[in-house]
Amino acid sequence: MKYLKEFIIGSSFPVVSSFYYGAHYNNYKTYDYFQYTLAAPIWFGIWNIISLIIAEKYNLSKQLRFFIISILSVISIFILQQTILFPYDYTKEKWIKYYTYIFIKYMFVWNIIIYNLDKYI
């Protein structure tokens, strides 16, 4: 039951809504928006379960749990985007801006939104 709770928190609307907004208005995307709306909540839901498993195994505090998983998940999405997905048709300069933006966004989502949802639900 605890894993279901973590999946629901990670895949909730407050978590993915800003990603939906950004993806919808990105004119450089090479993917189908509908597929993205299905994949994003699954991505965050699974990563939230993984974060709980890691936290339980290594006895991490909630804050450290979400900080570590924010780093791991953002690195994994960067690797996936450059090796398998190729989701955007960006120049090198746009990729740098995008990575900076996504890093900040992931840190906010994991350490503020998901942290507080997990803390108070």
Side-chain angles (χ1 to χ4, degrees):
M1 206 59 172
K2 64 183 174 183
Y3 296 121
L4 178 60
K5 174 189 167 199
E6 297 303 320
F7 185 83
I8 291 170
I9 289 171
S11 62
S12 66
F13 185 74
V15 173
V16 297
S17 61
S18 67
F19 291 95
Y20 287 169
Y21 180 81
H24 181 71
Y25 290 104
N26 187 329
N27 296 328
Y28 296 94
K29 65 182 175 283
T30 60
Y31 55 85
D32 180 48
Y33 180 72
F34 176 74
Q35 291 175 340
Y36 181 81
T37 61
L38 296 176
I42 294 170
W43 174 263
F44 281 100
I46 290 172
W47 272 108
N48 203 27
I49 292 170
I50 292 168
S51 75
L52 178 63
I53 293 168
I54 292 170
E56 289 177 342
K57 180 172 176 124
Y58 295 104
N59 198 26
L60 302 176
S61 69
K62 227 180 244 300
Q63 287 179 319
L64 187 56
R65 165 191 169 189
F66 289 117
F67 179 74
I68 290 172
I69 210 64
S70 63
I71 301 293
L72 292 176
S73 64
V74 80
I75 289 171
S76 67
I77 197 66
F78 290 167
I79 291 169
L80 279 172
Q81 289 178 341
Q82 292 299 316
T83 59
I84 297 171
L85 300 177
F86 306 108
Y88 303 107
D89 187 24
Y90 284 161
T91 63
K92 185 176 181 178
E93 182 179 293
K94 281 191 184 269
W95 274 115
I96 292 169
K97 287 180 183 179
Y98 170 78
Y99 284 145
T100 304
Y101 168 73
I102 289 298
F103 179 79
I104 293 167
K105 196 172 191 176
Y106 264 61
M107 295 303 276
F108 178 78
V109 165
W110 281 107
N111 295 290
I112 304 295
I113 297 175
I114 296 176
Y115 172 82
N116 282 302
L117 287 172
D118 191 73
K119 185 176 178 180
Y120 295 111
I121 292 179

